């Protein structure tokens, strides 16, 4: 009987299964109700009493060995299976494509406008989005009771002293005048904030480009020619501009600039509301009060300033009718500009 036990022990030790099913088969053959070990247990009942102690121990050892070997083999096979799926998998599978982003339409249009003014000798200036009252209003000749200073129009971060989100990038022009003596020729692109109800044509956040040109003998005619050049570069050679008198605290005289409608060629359509003209920016000769407030001698120097909304220009260029689309960042919308400009 000892021989049979040893023989079985050897088979248990040498057993090398390739699949889980083989292990189960082996277990039944050895430990099952009709298995070999069970048969040995039956035989054990008949052995002489003086051999019982020795053989009983051997049988117990065999049973323990077989059970733990089977459990260990099962675990080994399971680990191997999960390792394999983690490291190799199907190597012929196509890889995951990297999605390429594209420039946002507002950036595209901003870059194009910046390029046009760079050709005219302007450089780009930058400034903070959170500003104080001086740079957004006071230095720009806003009277204390001006409605733009009202909570209704401006987002305040703090009151007394007033800290606010800039409502226009004219604040960068003030910062430029603080730093630099004329001649000054800067454009100031940036994000601005106004407390407006969000609709298809207005948003509480939008982007502006403003420009400032100060030197000796700068005239209204210089401004008009610069802005005509700009309009032709952006909307096409056939574009005409017209100027309508307007009012801004920081410029005098001031004007509103319209371009001829590039959709109907000036005949009148839904976009230009039948007028043939589209309003694109405000402009004017820098008010002497602004020059004085910024320590520039208005007797010696003069200048002009202009400002436009980038969303508005982008809407006209791309025929986008709802301004909110620029802020939702829906990739289906944004991908349409992949190849633009
Ligand atoms: N700052 C004005 C605005 O935000 C635009 C402007 C700039 C008008 C310069 C005239 C001159 O509406």
């Amino acid at each position: 009987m000892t021989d049979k036990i040893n023989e079985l022990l050897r088979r248990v030790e040498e057993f090398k299964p390739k699949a889980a099913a083989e292990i189960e088969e082996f277990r039944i053959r050895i430990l099952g109700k009709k298995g070999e070990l069970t048969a040995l247990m039956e035989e054990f009942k008949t052995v002489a009493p003086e051999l019982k102690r020795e053989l009983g121990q051997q049988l117990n050892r065999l049973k323990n060995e077989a059970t733990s070997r089977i459990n260990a083999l099962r675990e080994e096979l399971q680990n191997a299976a999960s390792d394999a799926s983690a490291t190799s998998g199907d190597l012929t599978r196509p890889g995951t494509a990297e999605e390429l982003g594209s420039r946002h339409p507002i950036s595209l249009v901003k870059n194009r406008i910046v390029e046009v003014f760079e050709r005219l000798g302007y450089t780009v200036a930058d400034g903070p989005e959170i500003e104080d009252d001086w740079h957004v209003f006071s230095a720009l000749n806003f009277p204390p009771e001006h409605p733009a200073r009202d909570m209704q129009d401006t987002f305040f971060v703090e009151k007394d002293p007033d800290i606010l989100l800039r409502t226009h990038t004219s604040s960068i022009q003030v910062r430029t005048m603080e730093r630099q003596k004329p001649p000054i020729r800067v454009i100031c692109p940036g994000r601005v904030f106004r407390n407006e109800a969000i609709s298809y044509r207005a948003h509480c956040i939008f982007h502006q480009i403003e420009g400032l040109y100060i030197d000796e003998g700068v005239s209204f005619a210089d401004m008009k020619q610069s802005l005509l050049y700009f309009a032709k570069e952006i909307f096409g050679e056939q574009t005409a501009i017209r100027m309508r008198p307007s009012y801004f605290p920081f410029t005098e005289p001031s004007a509103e600039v319209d371009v001829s409608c590039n959709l109907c060629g000036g005949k009148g359509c839904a976009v230009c509301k039948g007028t043939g003209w589209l309003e694109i920016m405000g402009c004017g000769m820098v008010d002497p009060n602004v020059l004085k407030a910024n320590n520039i001698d208005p007797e010696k120097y003069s200048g002009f300033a202009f400002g436009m909304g980038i969303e508005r220009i982008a809407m006209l260029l791309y025929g986008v009718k709802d301004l909110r689309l620029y802020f939702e960042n829906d990739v289906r919308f944004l991908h349409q500009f992949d190849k633009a400009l």
Side-chain angles (χ1 to χ4, degrees):
M1 191 163 174
T2 306
D3 286 349
K4 280 190 199 161
I5 293 173
N6 284 340
E7 152 72 6
L8 211 51
L9 206 54
R10 192 185 53 77
R11 275 170 50 210
V12 166
E13 271 161 17
E14 285 173 3
F15 176 55
K16 279 220 162 47
K18 287 194 190 67
E22 272 178 56
I23 302 176
E24 183 57 10
E25 227 173 75
F26 187 73
R27 186 189 67 79
I28 294 169
R29 204 177 327 125
I30 309 289
L31 300 170
K33 270 199 183 131
K34 293 181 184 141
E36 296 178 45
L37 183 65
T38 325
L40 283 177
M41 294 288 198
E42 281 302 312
E43 199 180 324
F44 175 71
K45 288 179 189 157
T46 64
V47 300
E50 65 271 21
L51 295 176
K52 278 224 156 135
R53 193 180 141 87
E54 170 74 21
L55 286 174
Q57 278 174 357
Q58 286 180 9
L59 275 173
N60 259 342
R61 205 179 124 227
L62 173 61
K63 192 178 174 193
N64 289 340
E65 284 285 312
T67 319
S68 63
R69 173 101 181 119
I70 283 168
N71 287 341
L73 283 170
R74 265 193 198 140
E75 208 170 296
E76 220 172 80
L77 216 66
Q78 232 161 38
N79 288 345
S82 60
D83 273 2
S85 66
T87 50
S88 59
D90 178 3
L91 295 177
T92 62
R93 239 175 18 196
T96 22
E98 279 298 326
E99 185 137 353
L100 268 191
S102 55
R103 286 215 180 277
H104 193 283
I106 295 301
S107 299
L108 291 172
V109 173
K110 181 196 85 180
N111 291 346
R112 220 172 114 178
I113 298 172
V114 166
E115 266 169 35
V116 172
F117 283 104
E118 276 176 347
R119 264 178 260 150
L120 290 175
Y122 288 74
T123 51
V124 173
D126 201 0
E129 291 179 350
I130 301 175
E131 269 290 9
D132 50 25
D133 175 276
W134 172 257
H135 291 94
V136 176
F137 298 129
S138 297
L140 289 162
N141 199 34
F142 276 81
E145 71 285 0
H146 194 283
R149 291 173 176 245
D150 201 315
M151 295 275 252
Q152 238 97 73
D153 295 301
T154 304
F155 289 113
F156 285 88
V157 179
E158 267 169 44
K159 273 291 205 182
D160 286 331
D162 289 351
I163 304 293
L164 41 100
L165 300 182
R166 67 181 179 202
T167 56
H168 51 187
T169 56
S170 307
S171 53
I172 307 177
Q173 305 180 354
V174 175
R175 288 186 178 276
T176 307
M177 288 187 273
E178 278 171 358
R179 270 200 314 267
Q180 199 181 322
K181 290 286 137 228
I184 292 173
R185 223 182 283 181
V186 285
I187 35 168
C188 316
R191 198 154 48 157
V192 299
F193 308 84
R194 288 184 198 177
N195 196 356
E196 296 200 32
I198 296 170
S199 74
Y200 73 97
R201 54 191 298 251
H203 209 289
C204 54
I205 302 175
F206 60 100
H207 298 78
Q208 274 192 330
I209 291 197
E210 298 217 352
L212 176 70
Y213 184 8
I214 300 176
D215 203 348
E216 287 180 47
V218 176
S219 70
F220 199 98
D222 293 332
M223 174 168 77
K224 195 174 168 193
Q225 277 315 113
S226 305
L227 298 181
L228 177 62
Y229 173 76
F230 159 78
K232 285 177 180 289
E233 287 295 300
I234 295 291
F235 294 105
E237 188 49 40
Q238 73 298 339
T239 308
I241 63 167
R242 72 174 184 184
M243 288 175 154
R244 287 175 290 111
S246 184
Y247 172 78
F248 298 103
F250 34 89
T251 48
E252 183 61 34
S254 306
E256 218 65 73
V257 182
D258 297 345
V259 290
S260 52
C261 178
N262 56 346
L263 287 175
C264 62
K267 284 194 223 52
C269 67
V271 174
C272 60
K273 300 200 182 80
T275 63
W277 294 97
L278 299 162
E279 187 186 318
I280 58 158
M281 69 170 114
C283 68
M285 302 306 291
V286 180
D287 194 302
N289 285 341
V290 173
L291 294 176
K292 265 186 249 160
N294 291 286
N295 295 321
I296 294 173
D297 180 2
E299 298 298 326
K300 188 169 177 206
Y301 295 106
S302 59
F304 63 79
F306 52 87
M308 67 192 103
I310 302 179
E311 279 80 0
R312 169 110 182 118
I313 308 278
M315 281 170 95
L316 297 175
L317 278 178
Y318 297 134
V320 173
K321 296 203 174 62
D322 191 331
L323 184 131
R324 288 168 292 197
L325 287 165
Y326 289 123
F327 299 94
E328 282 163 6
N329 286 332
D330 183 332
V331 289
R332 291 168 302 179
F333 172 73
L334 297 178
H335 270 317
Q336 296 177 39
F337 301 92
D338 284 0
K339 296 189 179 59
L341 304 175

